């Protein structure tokens, strides 16, 4: 199968005055160079001057498979710094040793082409480095191809069309806050394409997985591995994963890579056709008859085994997703983008508890899949966030493993250890104001059972959740923040993929009435996704104390995950009488409205009843020295013991007066200094 030269990208990644990074994936080993332009407005509306911007290029390339090369292109100014508050245009040149082509050779710079990556009358894709007091940022999370409705991420492209020449209004950054892919929730209509495309891209041997887990060479697991909707037993029994939708769970590096490539742009969707199917039909791996050569709809229908409402709905949603990808690619090519993982980038329930983490680590296949997912996250997302965080040892470990993909020996063991022990996924984005991205998945602290505790304390420990960031992880993030040049007393944005302030009505119900069921052996933590900051009083307190220590002039938390959009303000008083205000905006989902229809109506109805019964939208919360949280919807509680802190939490209404949005949405945060803060949740009308 002939793959396109550019598999994905270009995507603008970390951008600052001293350097900028552009990421691109190709199917061949190109040498890539760049040309930069400072773009100035001419006399007419569509007249521009393009002044060459002297710089030099340093490109790092890693071969991720037989037909997959990932490139991170570093742009370094010849002068001391890149200019700020001005449009910077770029072009990429690809050389294979015989000929050199640029982005225009792929028709990506043609303004008449609706699939191009330029806006208006500009010749090139652009970005700018913001240093002014006004700042606009797009953000969101939770996006999957077969999620219901239109892709809200494409709305960002509409915003840029309206503002691409106005640097005061144009978004200077895009934050993707988790679940950029759903590795555990792959529809049967898409699974065969992903499995086959993964092999074409990376070329992993069938025997690789059976060397890691010998039971995969035996029935029934052998048949289930490449049977559509057949992997759930493998993920449950051999990986000890707990996702409820793991029928087609991604396993190999090629499969994870294929999912990322299909999520970031339209290039490979043209190859999802009969030609691709003919490759795997010859191997009969998917139990599809070899004489099946009809159109895409017929083939996809057969993979499900029947034509029903679910099948038709999946095709409609995937088609909507595919149709939005030219817009998504253009947005990513013109906006500095920063990405943090959440659970679905690896698997649902990832590290939800100590037992979960231990069981997966003790499973050779589970340990391998988590390492594979993190390697894919690094290559497609993490690498561009803060390239200097990955030292020579990390890069060497990745290069050596993906260069061989052998599941044995020192190289394999070193790779597994590197992925599981790496502790610097958190990073600081060089935005204005600075933005702290928190890794709330791999740096958790779990309270382990200890002898000698009272029954009451043991019960309290059993129903608590983990600290989503350990004490040592907070210390490391604080060091990163200091090294970034951020100063106490200035504004700060904090990214927590899991909302710090969740839907309190739901959280309280689960914590009080559902979590204790764990004591009788029910797996309620994984079934109900019971992981929020609030479920650990110690972890919640550590977050508040850390923010108080940093002492920003204004602190804004951006979150996703919840599949709802909401706005929250909390006024906090600590035991030393220090006061602070936290503002949180949660934007989710981009394309996966699990609270649509009846579930959404039920949730909104519960919130409405909560408001009516309490007569307020404010919750008062406090914490005692034992890290137990107390709250009410009346006046602030007065406790007999001294409070570590107390706060009043107010849920702000939307334009229509409701507290939540449950449709697909994209957040747009607008700041003017540290005092003027506005937020909108953009929806496809």
């Amino acid at each position: 199968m002939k793959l396109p030269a550019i598999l994905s990208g270009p995507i603008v990644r970390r951008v600052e005055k001293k350097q900028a990074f552009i990421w691109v994936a190709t199917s061949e080993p190109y040498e890539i160079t760049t040309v930069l332009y400072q773009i100035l407005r001419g006399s007419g509306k569509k007249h521009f001057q393009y002044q060459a911007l002297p710089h030099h290029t340093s490109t790092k390339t890693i071969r991720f498979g037989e037909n997959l090369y990932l490139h991170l292109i570093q742009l370094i100014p010849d002068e001391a710094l890149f200019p700020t508050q001005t449009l910077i245009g770029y072009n990429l040149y690809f050389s294979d040793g015989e000929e050199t082509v640029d982005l225009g050779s792929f028709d990506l710079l043609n303004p008449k082409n609706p699939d191009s990556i330029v806006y208006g009358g500009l010749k090139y894709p652009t970005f700018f480095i913001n240093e002014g007091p006004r700042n606009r940022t797009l953000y969101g999370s939770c996006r999957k191809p077969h999620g219901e409705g239109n892709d809200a991420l494409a709305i960002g492209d509409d915003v840029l069309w309206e503002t691409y020449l106005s640097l005061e209004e144009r978004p200077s950054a895009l934050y993707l806050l988790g679940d950029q892919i759903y590795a555990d929730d792959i529809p049967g209509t898409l699974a065969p394409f992903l499995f086959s495309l993964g092999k074409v891209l990376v070329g992993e041997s069938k025997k690789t997985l059976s060397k890691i887990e010998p039971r995969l060479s035996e029935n029934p697991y052998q048949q289930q591995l490449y049977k559509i909707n057949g992997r759930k037993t493998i993920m449950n029994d051999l990986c000890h994963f707990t996702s409820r939708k793991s029928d087609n769970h991604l396993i190999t590096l090629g499969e994870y890579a294929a999912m990322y490539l299909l999520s970031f742009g339209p290039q490979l969707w043209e190859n999802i056709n009969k030609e691709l199917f003919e490759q795997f039909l010859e191997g009969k791996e998917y139990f599809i008859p070899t004489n099946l050569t009809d159109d895409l709809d017929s083939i996809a229908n057969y993979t499900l085994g029947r034509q029903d409402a679910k099948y038709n709905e999946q095709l409609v949603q995937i088609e909507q997703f595919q149709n939005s990808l030219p817009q998504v690619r253009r947005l990513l090519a013109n906006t500095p983008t920063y990405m943090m993982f959440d659970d679905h980038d690896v698997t649902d329930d990832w590290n939800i508890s100590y037992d979960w983490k231990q069981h997966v680590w003790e499973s050779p296949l589970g340990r391998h899949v988590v390492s594979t997912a993190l390697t894919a996250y690094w290559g497609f997302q993490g690498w561009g966030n803060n390239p200097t965080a990955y030292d020579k040892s990390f890069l060497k470990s990745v290069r050596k493993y993906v260069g061989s993909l052998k599941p044995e020996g020192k190289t394999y063991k070193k790779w597994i250890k590197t992925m599981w022990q790496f502790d610097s996924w958190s990073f600081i984005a060089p935005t204005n104001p600075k933005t702290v991205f928190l890794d709330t998945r791999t740096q958790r602290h779990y309270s382990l059972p200890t002898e000698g505790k009272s029954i009451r304390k043991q019960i309290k420990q059993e129903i608590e959740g983990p600290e989503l960031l350990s004490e040592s992880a907070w210390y490391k993030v604080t060091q990163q923040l200091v090294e970034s040049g951020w100063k106490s007393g200035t504004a700060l944005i904090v990214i927590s993929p899991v909302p710090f302030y969740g839907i309190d009505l739901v959280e309280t119900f689960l914590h009080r009435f559902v979590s204790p069921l764990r004591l009788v052996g029910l797996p309620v933590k994984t079934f109900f996704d019971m992981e929020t900051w609030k479920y650990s009083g110690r972890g919640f307190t550590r977050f508040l104390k850390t923010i108080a220590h940093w002492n920003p002039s204004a602190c804004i938390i951006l979150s996703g995950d919840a599949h709802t959009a909401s706005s929250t303000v909390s006024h906090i008083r600590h035991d030393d009488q220090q006061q602070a205000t936290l503002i949180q905006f949660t934007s989710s989902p981009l394309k996966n409205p699990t609270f649509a229809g009846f579930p959404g109506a039920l949730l909104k109805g519960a919130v409405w009843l909560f408001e009516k019964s309490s007569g307020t939208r404010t919750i008062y919360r406090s914490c005692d020295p034992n890290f137990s949280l107390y709250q009410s919807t009346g006046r602030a509680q007065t406790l007999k013991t001294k409070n570590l802190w107390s706060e009043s939490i107010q849920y702000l209404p939307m334009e229509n007066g409701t507290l939540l949005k449950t449709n697909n949405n994209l957040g747009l945060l607008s700041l003017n200094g540290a005092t003027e803060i506005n937020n909108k949740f953009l929806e496809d009308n």
Side-chain angles (χ1 to χ4, degrees):
M1 182 181 67
K2 183 173 178 58
L3 293 169
I6 298 179
L7 297 172
S8 185
I11 301 176
V12 180
R13 300 304 316 272
R14 187 182 183 92
V15 166
E16 50 194 318
K17 290 186 288 186
K18 64 180 180 180
Q19 61 185 349
F21 293 89
I22 298 173
W23 178 96
V24 66
T26 64
S27 60
E28 298 179 19
Y30 292 107
E31 291 288 333
I32 302 177
T33 56
T34 60
V35 173
L36 294 183
Y37 301 93
Q38 184 173 356
I39 302 175
L40 305 175
R41 293 291 297 272
S43 56
K45 182 178 180 181
K46 293 187 178 181
H47 290 80
F48 305 97
Q49 297 177 3
Y50 297 84
Q51 297 180 357
L53 195 56
H55 72 289
H56 53 285
T57 301
S58 176
T59 300
K60 287 185 171 62
T61 299
I62 290 187
R63 186 176 185 177
F64 248 52
E66 290 181 1
N67 298 294
L68 177 58
Y69 298 82
L70 304 185
H71 312 267
L72 191 63
I73 307 155
Q74 182 182 19
L75 312 173
I76 306 167
D78 287 347
E79 301 294 333
L81 301 170
F82 282 130
T84 61
Q85 302 306 116
T86 186
L87 276 184
I88 297 175
Y90 69 90
N91 195 359
L92 304 183
Y93 290 82
F94 304 82
S95 175
D96 62 3
E98 297 182 359
E99 66 172 340
T100 299
V101 296
D102 72 344
L103 293 174
S105 305
F106 304 100
D107 205 29
L108 294 178
L109 305 182
N110 178 6
K112 296 181 180 180
N113 175 16
D115 292 346
S116 77
I117 59 173
V118 299
Y119 288 99
L122 294 174
K123 293 181 179 179
Y124 307 104
T126 59
F127 61 89
F128 75 102
I129 303 169
N130 182 41
E131 262 201 338
R134 295 177 63 87
N135 177 59
R136 301 183 93 201
T137 302
L138 297 165
Y139 66 98
S141 76
C142 305
R143 177 173 173 260
K144 67 180 184 181
H146 59 295
E148 185 178 340
N150 291 322
D151 186 356
L153 186 56
I155 301 173
D157 179 63
D158 297 332
V159 174
L160 255 71
W161 272 109
E162 297 171 358
T163 63
Y164 70 93
L165 293 179
S166 174
L167 301 191
E168 288 191 346
E169 299 297 322
R170 174 174 170 163
S172 60
L174 167 64
Y175 299 157
L176 299 179
L177 311 183
D179 299 341
Q180 276 67 261
I181 64 169
Y182 277 68
D184 60 304
D185 188 358
I186 304 297
T189 48
L190 192 58
F193 305 111
L194 278 170
F195 298 166
S196 298
L197 182 57
K199 291 180 180 179
V200 172
L201 291 167
V202 175
E204 292 145 303
S205 169
K206 295 180 188 177
K207 298 179 180 179
T208 297
L209 294 177
S210 60
K211 288 182 179 179
I212 297 168
E213 175 49 80
R215 284 176 288 180
L216 283 175
S217 62
E218 305 169 358
N219 288 331
Y221 296 124
Q222 184 182 38
Q223 287 187 326
Q224 292 167 336
L225 184 60
Y226 290 111
K227 182 179 180 181
I228 306 307
N229 298 331
R231 289 185 174 182
K232 187 173 182 59
T233 303
I234 292 174
M235 308 317 293
N236 291 350
D237 296 353
L238 306 186
C239 293
H240 292 291
F241 286 2
T242 53
S243 171
R244 296 180 296 277
K245 298 183 178 181
S246 59
D247 302 274
N248 299 300
H249 201 299
L250 305 181
I251 293 179
T252 69
L253 183 62
E255 291 166 7
Y256 274 92
M259 189 68 256
Y260 278 117
L261 295 173
L262 292 174
S263 298
F264 286 168
Q267 294 94 316
L268 280 167
W269 286 89
E270 298 173 2
N271 295 86
I272 294 183
N273 54 24
K274 186 170 61 177
E275 179 184 3
L276 179 58
F277 265 93
E278 287 172 351
Q279 293 213 358
F280 73 75
L281 291 179
E282 293 175 2
K284 302 181 182 178
E285 295 170 353
Y286 299 93
F287 304 100
I288 298 176
T290 55
N291 62 352
L292 183 61
T293 57
D294 294 330
D295 58 24
L296 175 60
D297 283 3
S298 298
I299 295 173
N301 180 32
Y302 192 91
T303 66
L304 284 179
R306 64 190 184 279
Q307 184 166 359
D308 56 17
K310 182 178 179 181
Y311 154 71
N312 288 323
E313 182 181 353
Q314 281 187 354
L315 287 183
V316 169
Q317 304 305 344
I318 291 173
E319 184 179 7
Q320 287 179 322
F321 182 82
Q322 180 183 354
N323 291 341
S324 72
L325 286 171
Q327 292 176 271
V328 170
R329 173 175 58 179
R330 185 164 47 234
L331 173 66
L332 297 175
N334 288 269
T335 312
T337 302
Y338 303 88
M339 312 178 188
M340 177 49 71
F341 51 52
D342 203 11
D343 55 344
H344 291 285
D345 298 273
V346 176
T347 186
D348 193 16
D349 299 331
W350 179 31
N351 290 346
I352 193 171
S353 67
Y354 176 80
D355 289 343
W356 191 100
K357 188 174 182 179
Q358 281 299 111
H359 289 155
V360 173
W361 171 255
E362 292 166 0
S363 161
L365 187 61
R367 187 166 62 234
H368 175 85
V369 174
V370 169
S371 301
T372 296
L374 280 171
T375 301
Y377 165 79
W378 171 78
F380 289 87
Q381 297 194 68
W383 194 10
N385 289 327
N386 183 22
T388 59
Y390 309 102
D391 59 18
K392 291 182 179 179
S393 176
F394 182 98
L395 295 175
K396 182 179 179 181
S397 177
V398 173
R399 282 183 187 274
K400 290 187 71 174
Y401 172 70
V402 299
S404 67
L405 295 178
K406 293 181 179 179
E408 55 200 354
K410 292 182 179 179
T411 294
Y412 181 75
K413 292 179 180 179
K414 176 68 182 300
W415 168 69
I416 292 283
K417 183 178 179 181
T418 297
M419 290 300 114
W420 276 74
Q421 295 185 358
F422 188 70
D423 63 356
S424 295
W425 298 115
S426 295
F427 66 96
I428 314 299
T431 50
N432 183 35
K434 290 281 196 303
T435 303
V436 180
F437 281 73
L438 299 179
D439 163 15
T440 58
R441 282 288 160 187
T442 75
Q443 299 302 301
R444 298 181 170 194
H445 174 74
Y446 306 95
S447 296
L448 303 181
T450 56
E451 296 182 359
K453 283 191 174 183
S454 67
I455 294 178
R456 181 179 178 182
K457 287 185 177 180
Q458 289 181 29
I459 292 175
K460 180 178 183 291
Q461 181 174 293
E462 279 294 308
I463 64 176
E464 280 188 340
E467 295 180 47
L468 300 191
L469 236 70
S470 67
E471 182 178 9
S472 60
W474 275 118
Y475 177 76
K476 190 173 186 67
V477 171
T478 300
Q479 283 185 310
Q480 292 175 328
L481 191 57
V482 171
E483 292 169 359
S484 75
W486 180 81
K487 302 296 183 184
S488 179
T490 60
L492 185 67
I493 298 174
V494 177
I495 303 299
S496 172
V498 177
F500 189 60
Y501 296 105
I503 305 172
D504 194 82
L505 178 71
V506 176
E507 291 181 353
T508 300
F509 173 78
L510 290 176
H511 192 249
R512 288 183 181 177
F513 303 109
V514 176
S515 187
L517 295 177
R518 184 186 178 197
L519 297 173
V520 295
L522 297 180
V524 295
K525 285 199 173 183
T526 55
F527 189 81
F528 289 99
D529 285 338
M530 296 186 65
E531 46 186 345
T532 74
W533 289 93
K534 177 185 170 182
Y535 290 162
S536 170
R538 187 182 298 272
F540 197 93
T541 298
R542 204 182 300 281
F543 188 113
L544 293 179
K545 292 291 186 181
T546 301
I547 299 298
H549 172 68
W550 291 347
N551 191 31
S553 59
C555 185
I556 301 168
I557 304 171
L558 299 181
S559 295
D561 180 64
H563 293 212
T564 58
S566 62
S567 303
T568 310
V569 175
S570 175
H571 300 287
I572 304 149
R573 182 186 294 273
H574 292 275
D575 52 1
D576 60 1
Q577 302 306 307
Q578 183 179 1
Q579 299 184 43
T581 298
L582 297 182
I583 303 171
Q584 176 182 282
F585 300 114
T586 300
S587 174
S588 174
L590 289 169
K591 194 179 191 301
N592 191 20
T594 55
F595 291 111
F598 178 73
L602 193 64
L603 176 63
K604 290 178 180 178
V607 172
W608 180 82
L609 287 174
F610 166 73
E611 292 178 18
K612 291 297 181 182
S613 62
S614 65
T616 180
R617 291 180 174 181
T618 302
I619 293 173
Y620 297 95
R621 184 180 294 163
S622 58
C623 182
D624 70 14
N626 294 319
F627 300 105
S628 294
L629 302 185
Y630 300 85
Q631 70 182 49
S632 70
T633 55
R635 294 183 178 180
Q637 293 182 349
T638 301
L639 303 180
K640 295 180 180 180
T641 55
K642 183 181 179 183
N643 293 344
L644 295 176
W645 51 265
S646 61
E647 66 177 343
S648 61
I649 308 164
Q650 186 175 13
Y651 293 86
L652 304 181
M654 305 289 175
E655 300 89 342
N656 60 0
T658 63
L659 296 185
L660 302 173
K661 281 184 183 291
T662 58
N663 297 330
N664 294 335
N665 65 90
L666 175 67
L668 174 58
L669 174 67
S670 300
L671 304 177
N672 190 358
T675 57
E676 187 178 325
I677 302 171
N678 292 290
N679 185 76
K680 293 181 179 179
F681 296 112
L682 308 176
E683 296 180 271
D684 193 344
N685 296 323

